[in-house]
Amino acid sequence: MKRYKLKTGGKVGNHEFLKVIKCLRKAGYSGEEIGVYVMAGLPGQRVGEVEESIAYVKETGARPMLVEYSPFPYTSV
């Protein structure tokens, strides 16, 4: 995931992500109620990286939600 952080304006790292999951759990949300988007199809992204991200989200007890990368027309890659 880190490789894409600068190009995609990555919003959160693993440390912050875990803090948010912990706060949501403490507030009473169940894992099924906590959905986390995992983007797939980024230029140069390996399938294994997507699989690792999905596994990581599941390990936290949250629900991964797969979304496909779809650039706007004429977006430089």
Side-chain angles (χ1 to χ4, degrees):
M1 271 194 287
K2 290 184 181 188
R3 180 171 19 158
Y4 307 105
K5 192 166 187 170
L6 293 177
K7 288 185 178 183
T8 62
K11 306 293 185 261
V12 71
N14 287 353
H15 178 72
E16 293 89 358
F17 175 75
L18 290 175
K19 276 178 69 172
V20 169
I21 296 296
K22 186 176 180 179
C23 287
L24 289 169
R25 292 282 202 175
K26 191 174 181 178
Y29 288 94
S30 71
E32 191 60 30
E33 294 176 297
I34 304 170
V36 177
Y37 289 110
V38 175
M39 189 171 285
L42 291 165
Q45 186 180 38
R46 294 179 296 104
V47 172
E49 291 172 315
V50 177
E51 293 170 340
E52 290 168 11
S53 294
I54 290 170
Y56 181 71
V57 171
K58 285 182 173 183
E59 284 176 22
T60 68
R63 181 173 48 98
M65 298 169 23
L66 196 60
V67 294
E68 294 180 50
Y69 171 74
S70 180
F72 289 104
Y74 310 108
T75 301
S76 63
V77 179

